[in-house]
Amino acid sequence: GAGVSQSPRYKVAKRGQDVALRCDPISGHVSLFWYQQALGQGPEFLTYFQNEAQLDKSGLPSDRFFAERPEGSVSTLKIQRTQQEDSAVYLCASSASGSGELFFGEGSRLTVL
Amino acid sequence: EDQVTQSPEALRLQEGESSSLNCSYTVSGLRGLFWYRQDPGKGPEFLFTLYSAGEEKEKERLKATLTKKESFLHITAPKPEDSATYLCAVQGYTGGYNKLIFGAGTRLAVHP
């Protein structure tokens, strides 16, 4: 596609619900990242995939967070038993190589009530 | 631990009033320093990569420079359309595959 596509753009969840956020990276991009951005803050790293391999998940805040990219293209970030502190914008980014020139999607804004 | 600090947090300029944004960093081996622009409700958009001290990059009214401890984003004769949050990020040789560590950003408002 022309750019990185994320869905849903907005998600409201009740505390305790599970949510799934989808990312369609730019076609052919090997590297895929998930970041979390709180209001007024910079993006914080969550996890990194190279093709289908999850090479770094050091930023996932708890075992309630899980990410996958089974076929090396589309990725899903799943949050189980959501908590209010999970409210944030979740950004997906892809790149053709491992450089820091990332192409970001518009993000999925999660609000947990 | 790799760290990025940006200042000021917010900056208000009149159209045509030049200024600079600061990014101070600590990293165990710099692979690259990156500047991004973020508009409200959008994802960050890549602007520049700098790799070594003394390097400079320019794009329209923006110029990025790099020293061993900090980077500056100089904005010359800004226009209202330059209003955005400017994010600085570093990528180090240690601390994980390819990840970027971002600062909190500088929110720039340019008024006519």
Side-chain angles (χ1 to χ4, degrees):
Chain A
V4 177
S5 178
Q6 293 188 244
S7 61
R9 288 292 320 279
Y10 304 93
K11 175 69 178 178
V12 178
K14 292 183 179 178
R15 191 173 56 177
Q17 282 185 331
D18 297 348
V19 300
L21 308 176
R22 176 188 169 105
C23 173
D24 273 283
I26 293 173
S27 178
H29 277 193
V30 168
S31 297
L32 186 145
F33 300 80
W34 283 98
Y35 282 84
Q36 181 189 60
Q37 187 172 28
L39 191 64
Q41 299 299 312
E44 287 200 13
F45 172 81
L46 293 177
T47 188
Y48 164 65
F49 290 86
Q50 184 172 305
N51 295 307
E52 68 278 1
Q54 188 176 21
L55 298 184
D56 188 348
K57 54 182 181 179
S58 62
L60 296 176
S62 77
D63 59 7
R64 296 186 296 105
F65 287 71
F66 172 76
E68 61 183 3
R69 194 186 185 196
E71 297 178 358
S73 55
V74 171
S75 177
T76 304
L77 177 67
K78 297 179 180 178
I79 309 172
Q80 297 177 323
R81 305 182 302 282
T82 52
Q83 304 295 315
Q84 284 190 320
E85 61 262 30
D86 300 335
S87 296
V89 175
Y90 291 86
L91 293 165
C92 176
S94 69
S95 76
S97 65
S99 80
E101 183 178 342
L102 303 182
F103 294 83
F104 281 87
E106 295 196 324
S108 292
R109 180 178 295 277
L110 173 63
T111 302
V112 182
L113 303 177
Chain B
E1 182 180 332
D2 299 348
Q3 197 166 15
V4 176
T5 303
Q6 293 189 245
S7 61
E9 289 184 12
L11 181 62
R12 177 188 171 118
L13 298 174
Q14 289 298 121
E15 185 172 1
E17 179 186 3
S18 301
S19 187
S20 296
L21 313 183
N22 177 263
C23 170
S24 297
Y25 66 91
T26 54
V27 64
S28 50
L30 181 69
R31 286 176 62 187
L33 184 140
F34 305 86
W35 284 97
Y36 282 80
R37 169 190 170 130
Q38 187 173 27
D39 293 299
K42 306 288 187 182
E45 178 185 350
F46 171 78
L47 292 173
F48 301 111
T49 307
L50 300 167
Y51 293 106
S52 58
E55 190 175 358
E56 299 183 351
K57 293 274 179 73
E58 280 190 73
K59 181 179 178 180
E60 296 181 357
R61 295 176 293 282
L62 301 178
K63 183 167 98 171
T65 62
L66 181 65
T67 73
K68 289 187 177 180
K69 293 183 179 180
E70 56 192 349
S71 177
F72 292 92
L73 185 65
H74 307 277
I75 303 177
T76 302
K79 298 182 177 182
E81 53 262 41
D82 295 321
S83 298
T85 295
Y86 290 86
L87 297 165
C88 173
V90 296
Q91 187 181 48
Y93 281 103
T94 61
Y97 289 88
N98 299 327
K99 69 180 178 185
L100 298 187
I101 305 298
F102 282 87
T106 293
R107 293 189 310 279
L108 174 66
V110 181
H111 295 268

